[in-house]
């Protein structure tokens, strides 16, 4: 691993963190992608599925099945978009907000054995997320 390029280390670390987070979220009935989606909906307010997919940085086709699962469990609701009858608006429910808050508590425990609260690391990760275009 000492010879791996930084991008490979980052990718491997991200996968390991996602796996650890999924283990913590499993008792809540959530997954890492579900939490990202709920977080985006909670932050944006009512949002179209296309805008939501862009916000979470996934393909629109990936978002559909996830939204169906979240809706069937009562975490989100879909309503007709009164400004565009061809689309829907997604919003988070009270149950979704409650689970999202619980997931945030679990998120803080994912890597408790490793001190990753370095401001430099956070700044570098924010730069990668903000300035990397995956189109």
């Amino acid at each position: 691993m000492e010879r791996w390029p930084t991008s490979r280390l980052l990718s491997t670390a991200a996968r390991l963190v996602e796996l650890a987070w999924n283990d913590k979220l499993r008792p809540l009935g959530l997954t890492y992608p579900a939490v990202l989606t709920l977080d985006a909906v909670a932050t944006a307010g009512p949002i179209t599925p296309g805008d939501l997919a862009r916000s979470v940085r996934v393909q629109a086709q990936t978002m559909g099945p996830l939204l169906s699962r979240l809706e069937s469990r009562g975490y989100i609701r879909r309503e007709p978009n009164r400004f565009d009858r061809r689309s829907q608006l997604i919003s988070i429910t009270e149950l979704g907000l409650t689970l999202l808050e619980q997931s945030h508590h679990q998120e803080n425990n994912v890597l408790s054995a490793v001190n990753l609260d370095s401001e430099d690391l956070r700044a570098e990760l924010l730069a990668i997320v903000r300035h990397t275009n995956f189109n």
Side-chain angles (χ1 to χ4, degrees):
M1 287 185 293
E2 284 72 21
R3 295 179 57 197
W4 287 1
T6 303
S7 58
R8 185 171 176 191
L9 284 169
L10 181 61
S11 176
T12 302
R15 281 194 313 275
L16 292 171
V17 169
E18 184 174 341
L19 289 170
W21 198 11
N22 277 331
D23 285 344
K24 297 280 187 185
L25 293 171
R26 192 170 293 113
L28 298 175
L30 295 173
T31 62
Y32 176 71
V35 170
L36 293 180
T37 301
L38 290 174
D39 233 343
V41 173
T43 300
I47 186 171
T48 66
D51 288 341
L52 181 57
R54 280 186 287 285
S55 172
V56 179
R57 295 183 180 224
V58 298
Q59 296 294 319
Q61 299 87 338
T62 303
M63 188 57 63
L66 177 57
L67 291 176
S68 293
R69 282 192 303 278
L70 293 173
E71 183 179 35
S72 72
R73 293 177 179 158
Y75 304 157
I76 63 161
R77 72 178 151 271
R78 299 187 219 208
E79 299 172 324
N81 184 345
R82 67 179 189 192
F83 300 109
D84 181 356
R85 292 183 185 189
R86 297 169 295 165
S87 73
Q88 298 175 327
L89 291 175
I90 310 299
S91 54
I92 193 165
T93 64
E94 287 300 317
L95 177 59
L97 285 171
T98 299
L99 284 171
L100 184 59
E101 185 177 320
Q102 291 173 6
S103 78
H104 288 167
H105 293 298
Q106 293 299 333
E107 180 179 8
N108 295 331
N109 297 323
V110 169
L111 293 174
S112 57
V114 181
N115 182 10
L116 289 180
D117 285 337
S118 158
E119 287 303 314
D120 290 339
L121 177 59
R122 284 190 57 77
E124 290 173 11
L125 291 172
L126 283 168
I128 290 169
V129 172
R130 286 185 178 136
H131 301 294
T132 302
N133 188 357
F134 294 104
N135 291 333

